[in-house]
Each structure stands twice: as structure tokens, then as C-alpha cells.
Amino acid sequence: MASHNFLFFAVLIAICAVVLASDSSPLQDFCVADPNGPVLVNGHACKDPKLVQANDFFFSGLHLPGNTSNAVGSRVTPATVAQIPGLNTLGISLVRVDYAPWGINPPHTHPRATEILTVIEGTLEVGFVTSNPENLLLTKKLIKGDVFVFPVGLVHFQRNVGYTNAVAIAALSSQNPGVITIANAVFGSTPAISNDLLAKSFQVDIKTIDWIQSKF
């Protein structure tokens, strides 16, 4: 009997973990984020519904090209709960990504969201890598109107493979999907990860690690 009870509770915990692995569902019409609220919650406290306005659900700017004059040649313009308070508890957000010719959105992950990307202009090479031990790379060349999905948590990237600017719009399954850019996290952390550890991890000498870290 004890073993059956243990199995029951183990299954129950596993089911709960799956249910709770995404943004929680709203229990009212809306919960407009109140970033100055005194209560700390997983997300944002709700603004008084009597004070809610249409602008709490509004954002303007995705028609404007992002400035791609940077080292990677891309710019992400987000429309998450930080920009649209009305997204709080709704489990969705949006970004615009601009790419200079041959610009990249470098390998990164979204720890809290699956992403579905649509090419608006240009031609993109996109891909993601599956988890250990396979580490399988799945890539696809996309043109205007094509759609591609990046599963939650997996390392993925985009690259403009054309000679003109490219634009994509992506929806994400979280009000606050988060982003971890692999190179920035590994080589640009504060404080820095020890260079001998990274040298052993990447199987290169310490001088190479020091040189890479100096870029971040």
C-alpha cells in the first residue's frame, strides 16, 4: 500500500509540474501589471481595475525599423509585459526583429517560452539544437511569409542570408519569455566564469578564453 501511495503522489507531482511549467492562466478578465505594487508575486501584482485604461493594452512602434548598427547586425524590439502592462497573466508577447544584410540574432534561448517566427521581409536561415546527448541541429531557409517554431528552452538562432535588410515578427508563449544569449552568458557574466574552467569546457587554451572574454 505504501508503494502505491508513493507512486500516486509521484505521478501527481509530475502532473502538477507540467501544469505549472507555463504562465498561469488568468482567473479574471485581466490583471493589468502594476510594477509599483507593494506585493511581490510571480509576475506582477494587479492594477486596480477601476484605474485600467485602454493604453494599458496598447503599444505603438513595431512599424519602426530597429537600429542594426551593432556587432551582430540585428535589433529586437519587444512588446512584452514591460511594454504592455495588460499582457500580465495572459501568457503571450511579441517581438520585431530587424536584420542588416548578413546580420544575425545569435544563439540564445527563451527559458519560459516557445517562439513562432514569421518572416515579413527578406530571407533568413534559422535553426535550433536539440538537447543532450543528440545535439541535433535542425535548420531551414525561410522567405517572406514563411513560419518557423523554436521549442521552449532550446538554443536557436537566425541569420539574414540576403543582401537587403530583413524583418521578422515573432510571438512567444509568455508575457515575459526571458532571453539568454549564449555567448554573453558564458563569456560576459558578472563576475566572470573562471578562464581555466572555460578553457577545459571548450578544449582550448586559457589565452583564447581571455581573448574571447575581452570581447564582452
Side-chain angles (χ1 to χ4, degrees):
M1 180 64 70
S3 62
H4 288 298
N5 287 339
F6 175 80
L7 181 60
F8 170 78
F9 284 113
V11 171
L12 182 62
I13 290 170
I15 293 172
C16 290
V18 171
V19 171
L20 296 174
S22 60
D23 289 2
S24 54
S25 299
L27 299 177
Q28 60 267 339
D29 288 345
F30 51 76
C31 172
V32 173
D34 181 5
N36 300 316
V39 180
L40 298 178
V41 296
N42 184 22
H44 294 281
C46 298
K47 184 177 181 179
D48 185 340
K50 297 182 179 67
L51 302 178
V52 170
Q53 302 176 353
N55 279 343
D56 291 321
F57 301 89
F58 173 79
F59 174 80
S60 179
L62 288 189
H63 64 295
L64 300 174
N67 183 0
T68 59
S69 299
N70 53 57
V72 296
S74 69
R75 177 70 63 185
V76 176
T77 303
T80 68
V81 70
Q83 291 77 36
I84 308 175
L87 286 177
N88 193 38
T89 76
L90 298 185
I92 194 169
S93 59
L94 197 69
V95 298
R96 168 181 172 140
V97 191
D98 288 272
Y99 312 83
W102 299 100
I104 66 169
N105 190 6
H108 61 281
T109 72
H110 300 294
R112 295 180 289 276
T114 290
E115 175 181 347
I116 181 167
L117 177 142
T118 303
V119 178
I120 305 301
E121 295 291 345
T123 304
L124 296 179
E125 175 191 8
V126 304
F128 66 84
V129 181
T130 63
S131 55
N132 297 349
E134 289 81 8
N135 298 131
L136 176 66
L137 172 63
L138 299 173
T139 63
K140 186 77 174 174
K141 187 175 181 179
L142 307 181
I143 61 173
K144 182 177 180 179
D146 286 348
V147 177
F148 197 82
V149 174
F150 304 107
V152 58
L154 296 187
V155 175
H156 60 283
F157 61 87
Q158 303 104 42
R159 177 170 63 168
N160 181 1
V161 291
Y163 292 93
T164 61
N165 293 335
V167 181
I169 295 290
L172 299 113
S173 61
S174 172
Q175 67 181 42
N176 181 26
V179 59
I180 302 171
T181 304
I182 306 305
N184 298 53
V186 173
F187 298 109
S189 66
T190 303
I193 300 174
S194 62
N195 56 6
D196 61 322
L197 186 152
L198 291 178
K200 190 169 186 177
S201 299
F202 287 92
Q203 301 180 35
V204 297
D205 58 64
I206 289 177
K207 287 184 178 180
T208 300
I209 296 297
D210 290 341
W211 177 75
I212 297 175
Q213 286 181 322
S214 71
K215 303 294 183 180
F216 295 89

